[in-house]
Amino acid sequence: HKQLLELKNKSKLEAQKQKEAYERQVKEAELKQQKQEKREQEFREMQARKDEMRAQDQRRTDLMAQKQEAFQDLMRERKEVRDMRIYNSILVNQEMEQKRREDFEKKQAEDSLREERLMQQMAQRQEETAKKQFRTLMKRQMIKEEAMRKAEDRRMAILDQQEETEYRLMEHEAKKERYLDFKRELDGLRGKNKEINVERQRRREEAEREAIADSVKKKDEKIDHLNHERQRMWDLRRAAQAEAYKAREMVKSEILKQRIDSKFDSKKLESKLESLMKSEAFSAKILQTSHSTPSFKATA
């Protein structure tokens, strides 16, 4: 645009100079014409006064007048030819200037189209690179979450197995203790009468009912705790899915914004994605806050 303005200003200055030269020439010609007419008028007046005195020189004067008129005609023709040549030169220069300006504008338009195509190709490549990086990051995140989920399931299964083993051992020890107590009590009370045997049988049945009630209560508490843990894990997983969807939508909006502004910045997109992935919902620490199922001791 700057070169085009300079060419326009240069053409205007040249046209202005040519116009001023032409006007100056026209004025000089008019001034000469006026002077010539004035001289002719003075000559005629002087000739009128000297007709009587210079009758013998009339022929020579007429001849000089004819020569003067011929000279004026020649000068006038030369002036017209010169003016026409100047005018034609001005027209040729204007046509050449117009052609140069059109060629320059055409070249500028072609350069602009070529730059626009290059910018579009560059923007498309940047967008594809950003999408590929985002897909890779999301795939890694999904693999990481799946590994964490499997590890947590494995840990819960091991905890359940350990609790079940401990419970069986405790139940076996309780049975053994009950058997030994029963044997000692049977050996000590073998010589007593039927009433004592009935009372002893009643106490044993009450103890068994209490043990069964305690066992049922502990099993219910264990089931409630496991259900609570499962519900908490489900809530965490659902919150993580919601955060992932929110992060994906924010990244899509950022890509669309950069595409509209034609200012693609993969580093900015990557930093924003990393800040989103630092959310507490994607952190492994939140899974480490779960409490292990408490072990329940069976009482005799």
Side-chain angles (χ1 to χ4, degrees):
H1 296 291
K2 185 176 180 180
Q3 294 178 356
L4 184 60
L5 291 173
E6 290 178 357
L7 289 173
K8 288 183 178 180
N9 293 330
K10 186 176 180 182
S11 62
K12 288 181 179 179
L13 289 173
E14 290 178 357
Q16 184 69 25
K17 289 180 180 179
Q18 292 175 0
K19 184 178 179 181
E20 290 176 357
Y22 177 76
E23 290 177 354
R24 187 166 55 252
Q25 291 174 0
V26 171
K27 288 181 179 179
E28 289 176 358
E30 290 177 355
L31 185 60
K32 288 180 180 180
Q33 184 68 26
Q34 291 176 1
K35 289 181 179 179
Q36 185 65 31
E37 290 176 356
K38 186 176 181 180
R39 284 197 298 270
E40 289 177 356
Q41 183 67 27
E42 291 175 354
F43 178 76
R44 285 194 296 271
E45 291 176 356
M46 187 182 292
Q47 188 68 26
R49 288 194 301 269
K50 295 179 179 180
D51 281 340
E52 294 177 356
M53 295 174 63
R54 297 182 179 179
Q56 65 277 11
D57 297 329
Q58 185 66 37
R59 184 178 298 174
R60 183 172 55 84
T61 302
D62 293 337
L63 183 60
M64 289 181 65
Q66 290 176 1
K67 289 181 179 181
Q68 185 69 25
E69 288 177 359
F71 178 76
Q72 290 178 357
D73 292 335
L74 180 61
M75 292 298 294
R76 190 180 298 109
E77 289 176 358
R78 289 181 179 179
K79 180 179 175 298
E80 290 176 355
V81 170
R82 187 174 62 253
D83 293 340
M84 183 58 66
R85 188 168 59 250
I86 292 171
Y87 179 75
N88 292 330
S89 178
I90 291 171
L91 291 178
V92 170
N93 290 332
Q94 288 179 352
E95 290 177 357
M96 291 176 65
E97 186 66 24
Q98 182 67 25
K99 187 176 183 302
R100 285 197 297 269
R101 184 164 54 251
E102 290 175 355
D103 293 339
F104 178 78
E105 291 177 353
K106 183 178 180 181
K107 185 178 179 181
Q108 289 293 106
E110 290 175 354
D111 293 339
S112 178
L113 289 174
R114 184 168 59 257
E115 290 178 357
E116 185 176 358
R117 285 196 300 270
L118 291 175
M119 290 297 293
Q120 289 178 355
Q121 292 176 1
M122 187 181 297
Q124 188 175 4
R125 286 197 298 271
Q126 289 179 353
E127 184 178 0
E128 289 175 357
T129 303
K131 287 182 179 179
K132 187 180 294 182
Q133 291 177 355
F134 178 74
R135 286 196 297 268
T136 304
L137 187 60
M138 291 303 295
K139 186 176 180 180
R140 290 178 181 173
Q141 185 66 25
M142 290 175 65
I143 293 171
K144 183 179 178 182
E145 290 177 357
E146 185 67 20
M148 291 173 62
R149 184 185 64 79
K150 289 181 179 180
E152 183 64 21
D153 292 340
R154 192 160 53 249
R155 189 177 69 84
M156 293 297 294
I158 292 171
L159 289 175
D160 292 340
Q161 187 176 3
Q162 289 177 354
E163 289 175 0
E164 187 176 358
T165 303
E166 290 175 359
Y167 182 77
R168 287 179 180 178
L169 289 173
M170 287 187 295
E171 190 175 20
H172 178 71
E173 292 293 331
K175 286 181 180 180
K176 185 177 179 181
E177 289 293 332
R178 286 197 301 270
Y179 173 75
L180 293 174
D181 291 340
F182 176 74
K183 186 176 181 181
R184 285 193 298 270
E185 191 175 0
L186 182 63
D187 291 340
L189 296 176
R190 187 172 290 176
K192 291 183 180 181
N193 57 14
K194 184 178 179 180
E195 184 178 357
I196 295 173
N197 290 332
V198 172
E199 183 67 19
R200 184 182 58 194
Q201 182 67 24
R202 186 180 62 81
R203 287 197 303 269
R204 188 171 67 248
E205 290 176 354
E206 288 179 356
E208 289 176 355
R209 284 196 298 270
E210 288 176 359
I212 292 170
D214 291 337
S215 177
V216 171
K217 181 178 179 182
K218 291 175 181 179
K219 287 182 178 179
D220 291 338
E221 290 176 356
K222 179 181 178 182
I223 291 170
D224 292 337
H225 183 76
L226 290 175
N227 290 332
H228 177 71
E229 280 295 309
R230 288 193 185 96
Q231 182 63 35
R232 195 179 74 83
M233 293 298 294
W234 172 252
D235 293 337
L236 290 175
R237 193 172 299 164
R238 186 168 54 188
Q241 290 176 356
E243 286 293 328
Y245 178 77
K246 182 179 178 182
R248 186 167 62 253
E249 291 298 320
M250 291 180 70
V251 171
K252 284 183 179 179
S253 63
E254 182 65 23
I255 292 173
L256 183 60
K257 180 180 178 181
Q258 292 185 5
R259 188 174 182 181
I260 291 173
D261 295 337
S262 295
K263 295 180 179 178
F264 292 93
D265 191 354
S266 59
K267 292 184 179 179
K268 181 179 179 181
L269 184 62
E270 185 177 357
S271 63
K272 185 170 185 179
L273 186 58
E274 288 178 355
S275 65
L276 291 174
M277 295 309 296
K278 289 180 182 177
S279 176
E280 194 174 272
F282 299 120
S283 177
K285 294 181 180 179
I286 195 169
L287 297 176
Q288 297 175 1
T289 58
S290 62
H291 302 288
S292 300
T293 306
S295 60
F296 302 100
K297 294 182 179 180
T299 57

